[in-house]
Amino acid sequence: MTAILPRGSDTIRCASTGLPSAGMNVGILGTGGMAAALGGAWTRAGHRVLIGGRNHERAKLTAESIGAAAHGSLEDAARHGDAVLVAVPAAAAPQLVSDLAGPLAGRTVIDCTNPIVATSDGLLLDEPMAGRLAAAAGGAHVVKAFNLCHVSIWTLHRPAFENVPLAVPYCADHPAAAAVTETLISSIGCTPAACGGLARAAYLEATAALAIGLWWSGGQPRAMFPPMGQVA
């Protein structure tokens, strides 16, 4: 059964999916790999996901591919979410968030982008992103999270390695936004790892630049962090 809900000049198409009422509304800005992977994980966890994009046909295809409850415009996704994931290329994120500052006000906005650039010295961190997004949408509660793992990790059911659930580090200033983020992390079988306020988000972004560079060169970043119980 499909319901058509008009909103201004746009249309959101919602399907009956049997999602539990306890789930959160999650809006996703973007229709690419991270949007599909995290959107799919949250849909499976019982959250009501709305995929928003500039191209409505692509938003529809992405939503259908993951069984999301709805799709619509970028503004629809911003207005839908208790949490809103920014899943667009880093270069486009500040302007997009600025354009949507009104509907994003008061919401938890999760930044999963990696503002890194390739140079002759390897991958380097460009201008830190989370702070820019917080400035671009001053009324939103920006959180940095979900930026350290390859998109394929988020397609796994309850990702765990060496029998340990994946830890997802995040940085947040606002207590309610931190709680929303922890719920989203826990609901997909991962462990929230609070890493301080948004001022520390650049460390997560720099860690991503280092880890991705190691992966590209054939290294294994996990080997750098042995379990504490095995440290002499």
Side-chain angles (χ1 to χ4, degrees):
M1 175 179 179
T2 300
I4 298 178
L5 306 178
R7 179 174 293 167
S9 60
D10 296 309
T11 299
I12 305 175
R13 296 168 178 80
C14 302
S16 175
T17 59
L19 295 177
S21 59
M24 288 192 296
N25 291 338
V26 181
I28 296 184
L29 306 179
T31 59
M34 285 293 285
L38 280 169
W42 288 328
T43 296
R44 293 190 298 274
H47 302 295
R48 295 172 294 276
V49 172
L50 190 155
I51 299 291
R54 289 190 174 90
N55 184 309
H56 282 212
E57 184 61 27
R58 183 163 181 180
K60 175 184 176 181
L61 292 174
T62 300
E64 289 177 347
S65 73
I66 63 173
H71 69 275
S73 68
L74 291 165
E75 184 173 348
D76 290 327
R79 294 188 183 281
H80 173 79
D82 300 311
V84 179
L85 177 72
V86 180
V88 298
Q95 185 61 56
L96 174 61
V97 168
S98 177
D99 292 344
L100 296 172
L104 290 175
R107 303 180 193 272
T108 296
V109 175
I110 299 175
D111 169 26
C112 71
T113 68
N114 278 316
I116 54 181
V117 293
T119 74
S120 58
D121 288 325
L123 294 182
L124 296 180
L125 177 64
D126 200 359
E127 185 177 355
M129 182 58 62
R132 293 180 64 190
L133 297 192
H141 307 307
V142 175
V143 179
K144 188 76 187 186
F146 299 102
N147 71 306
L148 288 189
C149 290
H150 187 267
V151 61
S152 62
I153 299 300
W154 307 119
T155 67
L156 301 176
H157 177 64
R158 305 183 73 83
F161 302 91
E162 299 171 2
N163 297 317
V164 178
L166 177 69
V168 180
Y170 72 89
C171 292
D173 287 339
H174 194 274
V180 167
T181 303
E182 291 208 351
T183 296
L184 289 174
I185 293 169
S186 298
S187 70
I188 60 174
C190 297
T191 301
C195 292
L198 206 62
R200 290 173 54 85
Y203 294 122
L204 290 185
E205 295 169 348
T207 299
L210 178 64
I212 294 169
L214 283 170
W215 281 320
W216 282 4
S217 65
Q220 176 50 265
R222 281 180 62 81
M224 297 189 301
F225 301 101
M228 287 298 295
Q230 298 179 22
V231 176

